[in-house]
Amino acid sequence: MLNNKHDHSVCVETALESAQKICEERETRFTPLRRRVLELVWSKHEPITAYEVLDMLSEGKKRVAPPTVYRALDFLVEEGFVHRIESLNSFVGCSDPAHKHQGHFMICTKCSNVTEMNEQSLHNVIENAAKENGYSYENSILEIAGVCENCRA
Amino acid sequence: MLNNKHDHSVCVETALESAQKICEERETRFTPLRRRVLELVWSKHEPITAYEVLDMLSEGKKRVAPPTVYRALDFLVEEGFVHRIESLNSFVGCSDPAHKHQGHFMICTKCSNVTEMNEQSLHNVIENAAKENGYSYENSILEIAGVCENCRA
DNA sequence: TGATGGCTTGATATTTTATAACATACAGGG
DNA sequence: CCCTGTATGTTATAAAATATCAAGCCATCA
């Protein structure tokens, strides 16, 4: 996705609109702060850290404190609008917010872009692996590092 | 593994001995510090944090500084004697240190024990997923959260 | 022997990431 | 309007990790 030229502002707009709609359905509160944080996360092509969000959020205005950002991010992750990339201590917008799910990612070690994989088959394999090891399945993180098509060209 | 009663000191001894041997083969230096840190990591049944290692390492003696621990852990991870669990900012001893590999884990959300999965099939699926998404494969982390057999009983 | 160079560890300081705890604001139902 | 619960603000601190420079160790080779 991110390796094509595209009008990223459209991505951002779309993400904000669907989040809005989903929150209405779920009767959760898509407050201005949460909206703004989601916008900032989406506005960056790459995974963004909480403190980067904090800096951007603070531009112009009085500096906000870390809990403000972390709480908003927690909400967005909880709702499935944003995923956390553990190996980078960072966050990315979810490409399919309508269905709550765990994210599985490819991370390019050259350009830092990430690709979310939404393949059901992969998910099945993982759930199966859990079962085979005698575990009930709750959730999983899968982060694969490699070099994307673009960067290898 | 960890859900059976067993003489854990044997695990620790075995781990130390194979690390020793592997380092001789690779001509890398298994120094007293590195040995001690590996011992501490293995001595805990559950994932251990760098600062827990630091505290244990400091007992009695003058307190060591964080870089001392992180450098030793870096070495051990590099050599494949220890894996890092990203979702817990913690480390565990590798169950198969002879073959350098990425660890894939089950993590019990009740008892915190982890099980390392060494299934080749799982690894293949992951490498394939990378390929299908146009990425070259470098490495991956897979951490599945669930409840282990023991804890569900 | 003892000078050299490379790796390892020590030591100090700081950065980065995240949360605890308590106060204030604000929206919606009674 | 008041009460209640959720959200945000504020201050402080905890937890995790790294940058930087100094000192020690040890193999080797002139």
Side-chain angles (χ1 to χ4, degrees), chain A residues 86-89 104 106-109 113-117 119 121-122 125-127 129-150 152, chain B residues 86-89 104 106-109 113-117 119 121-122 125-127 129-150 152:
Chain A
E86 291 292 339
S87 61
L88 302 175
N89 292 340
H104 295 150
M106 299 284 335
I107 304 168
C108 179
T109 54
N113 274 176
V114 307
T115 305
E116 184 173 353
M117 301 182 283
E119 291 138 55
S121 62
L122 194 51
V125 169
I126 290 171
E127 268 207 58
K131 215 174 283 176
E132 278 164 23
N133 282 277
Y135 278 72
S136 69
Y137 178 86
E138 286 179 8
N139 60 63
S140 62
I141 70 178
L142 172 60
E143 295 168 18
I144 310 179
V147 179
C148 74
E149 219 154 19
N150 240 25
R152 276 178 299 144
Chain B
E86 290 292 338
S87 61
L88 302 175
N89 292 341
H104 295 149
M106 298 285 334
I107 304 168
C108 179
T109 53
N113 275 177
V114 306
T115 305
E116 183 172 353
M117 301 182 284
E119 291 139 52
S121 63
L122 193 52
V125 169
I126 290 171
E127 267 206 59
K131 216 176 281 177
E132 278 165 23
N133 282 276
Y135 278 72
S136 69
Y137 179 86
E138 286 179 8
N139 60 66
S140 61
I141 71 178
L142 172 60
E143 295 167 17
I144 309 179
V147 179
C148 74
E149 218 152 19
N150 240 27
R152 276 179 300 145

Side-chain angles (χ1 to χ4, degrees), chain A residues 62-131:
Chain A
K62 188 168 177 304
R63 186 168 182 80
V64 305
T68 300
V69 172
Y70 278 101
R71 283 187 292 226
L73 287 170
D74 285 350
F75 172 84
L76 297 172
V77 167
E78 181 66 26
E79 292 294 323
F81 302 155
V82 160
H83 293 296
R84 180 182 160 83
I85 310 284
E86 291 292 339
S87 61
L88 302 175
N89 292 340
S90 296
F91 301 83
V92 286
C94 172
S95 59
D96 180 18
H99 313 95
K100 277 197 198 180
H101 63 284
Q102 194 72 18
H104 295 150
F105 299 94
M106 299 284 335
I107 304 168
C108 179
T109 54
K110 284 239 195 293
C111 69
S112 298
N113 274 176
V114 307
T115 305
E116 184 173 353
M117 301 182 283
N118 284 321
E119 291 138 55
Q120 186 61 39
S121 62
L122 194 51
H123 184 84
N124 290 343
V125 169
I126 290 171
E127 268 207 58
N128 249 323
K131 215 174 283 176

Side-chain angles (χ1 to χ4, degrees), chain B residues 69-89:
Chain B
V69 173
Y70 279 100
R71 283 187 293 226
L73 286 171
D74 285 349
F75 172 85
L76 297 172
V77 167
E78 181 66 26
E79 293 294 323
F81 302 154
V82 160
H83 292 296
R84 179 181 162 81
I85 309 284
E86 290 292 338
S87 61
L88 302 175
N89 292 341

Side-chain angles (χ1 to χ4, degrees), chain B residues 30-100:
Chain B
F30 196 51
T31 65
L33 175 66
R34 289 166 177 176
R35 182 188 180 83
R36 178 76 179 125
V37 170
L38 182 57
E39 186 181 15
L40 290 171
V41 169
W42 267 101
S43 73
K44 201 183 174 206
H45 264 185
E46 305 161 15
I48 190 171
T49 70
Y51 278 77
E52 286 178 298
V53 172
L54 196 160
D55 289 342
M56 295 168 81
L57 201 52
S58 302
E59 271 167 20
K61 321 172 200 23
K62 187 168 178 303
R63 185 167 182 80
V64 304
T68 299
V69 173
Y70 279 100
R71 283 187 293 226
L73 286 171
D74 285 349
F75 172 85
L76 297 172
V77 167
E78 181 66 26
E79 293 294 323
F81 302 154
V82 160
H83 292 296
R84 179 181 162 81
I85 309 284
E86 290 292 338
S87 61
L88 302 175
N89 292 341
S90 296
F91 300 84
V92 285
C94 172
S95 58
D96 180 17
H99 313 96
K100 278 196 195 179

